[in-house]
Amino acid sequence: MSLTVYGVPLSPFVRKVRLCLLEKGLEYQLETVMPFTPPEWYLQLNPLGRIPAFKDDDCTLADSSVICQYLEEAYAETPALYAEEARQRGRVRWLEKYADYELAPLTTFTIFRNRILKPSAGHPCNEEAVRAALEEKLPAHFDYLEAQLGQQEYFVGDELSMADIAITSQLINMAHGGEQVDARRWPALAAHYQRILVRPSVASLLPGEQRMNAKLQEMGKAATA
């Protein structure tokens, strides 16, 4: 078994795959591939050029959800992250997609991109877009997630699932962009986020990510000095 993840640590989708592997106790290596300008050979793994891609010996896959569901089925002896019962499994997949399709455009591609990535490349932050995401668009999503959690520790069932991992992965990028879930307005969601952050899998990745994020912030300051 030789598992390789291709991408960069600050991508929430790469993070999601890495956390899936860590929670399953599967060893892997991360090979850096930059988004937007991938090398030519990478297009053989993912012709769309997006990250992550994944290789398991001679099996290659792309898309974080596809990769994680493959790991669930191919390594069935590891801890389940998609639940055992069909209805719960459907809920996990729904919430994973909700995070990827509804949260990501705001937490990652608006807040994190404007606050961190654009300044590091010498481009101005669109703070108006950030404020709109925080004040006009994200609250409805956080209301929904708060209701889904209720009094539960996890989004689906009594154990960690890919729903928890996918949602937390997006909120981490929002935090890298300098914003947190308001614990007064969404106490269950904020508590869930803090609960997942201290899991060994997440805690093992965060220090490296925070160092990279700090370096990008320094680049942004230098570019505007």
Side-chain angles (χ1 to χ4, degrees):
M1 178 180 69
S2 177
L3 307 180
T4 305
V5 179
Y6 300 88
V8 290
L10 291 178
S11 160
F13 306 106
V14 172
R15 182 186 302 118
K16 186 172 75 167
V17 171
R18 297 178 76 192
L19 290 175
C20 178
L21 287 158
L22 288 168
E23 289 288 344
K24 287 181 170 295
L26 297 171
E27 294 186 5
Y28 71 97
Q29 59 181 350
L30 176 68
E31 185 165 335
T32 299
V33 171
M34 299 301 294
F36 312 120
T37 55
E40 190 66 28
W41 61 263
Y42 182 73
L43 299 179
Q44 298 176 21
L45 299 177
N46 184 357
L48 300 178
R50 299 171 186 159
I51 57 172
F54 172 80
K55 190 172 184 180
D56 181 356
D57 292 328
D58 60 350
C59 173
T60 59
L61 296 167
D63 184 88
S64 62
S65 295
V66 170
I67 295 166
C68 292
Q69 289 178 34
Y70 165 81
L71 291 169
E72 183 84 347
E73 296 173 7
Y75 297 92
E77 73 282 2
T78 63
L81 293 173
Y82 283 92
E84 300 291 345
E85 190 269 329
R87 290 187 180 184
Q88 288 193 336
R89 195 158 55 246
R91 291 291 300 164
V92 172
R93 287 172 173 158
W94 157 244
L95 288 169
E96 180 184 5
K97 283 300 179 186
Y98 192 91
D100 290 355
Y101 286 33
E102 303 302 325
L103 294 185
L106 302 170
T107 56
T108 295
F109 298 118
T110 300
I111 297 172
F112 176 71
R113 179 170 174 265
N114 272 288
R115 289 274 181 81
I116 303 298
L117 295 183
K118 288 175 68 175
S120 72
H123 303 298
C125 167
N126 184 344
E127 192 63 29
E128 184 177 340
V130 171
R131 301 320 306 177
L134 289 168
E135 297 171 8
E136 300 171 17
K137 299 175 183 178
L138 277 171
H141 295 306
F142 290 167
D143 286 345
Y144 174 73
L145 294 175
E146 182 82 3
Q148 296 308 298
L149 265 175
Q151 301 302 311
Q152 303 173 136
E153 288 196 7
Y154 302 103
F155 275 99
V156 181
D158 299 324
E159 296 180 348
L160 181 84
S161 74
M162 286 307 302
D164 305 294
I165 291 173
I167 291 165
T168 300
S169 289
Q170 295 300 332
L171 295 181
I172 287 172
N173 270 57
M174 189 174 85
H176 286 334
E179 301 293 340
Q180 299 282 347
V181 174
D182 186 343
R184 294 168 298 179
R185 186 169 178 180
W186 299 287
L189 182 59
H192 173 273
Y193 175 66
Q194 294 300 325
R195 192 180 306 121
I196 304 303
L197 282 189
V198 299
R199 290 185 70 87
S201 60
V202 184
S204 71
L205 298 184
L206 274 184
E209 288 195 22
Q210 289 163 344
R211 287 192 296 271
M212 296 176 85
N213 197 55
K215 186 175 293 186
L216 288 174
Q217 287 178 302
E218 290 174 7
M219 291 170 60
K221 291 176 182 177
T224 56

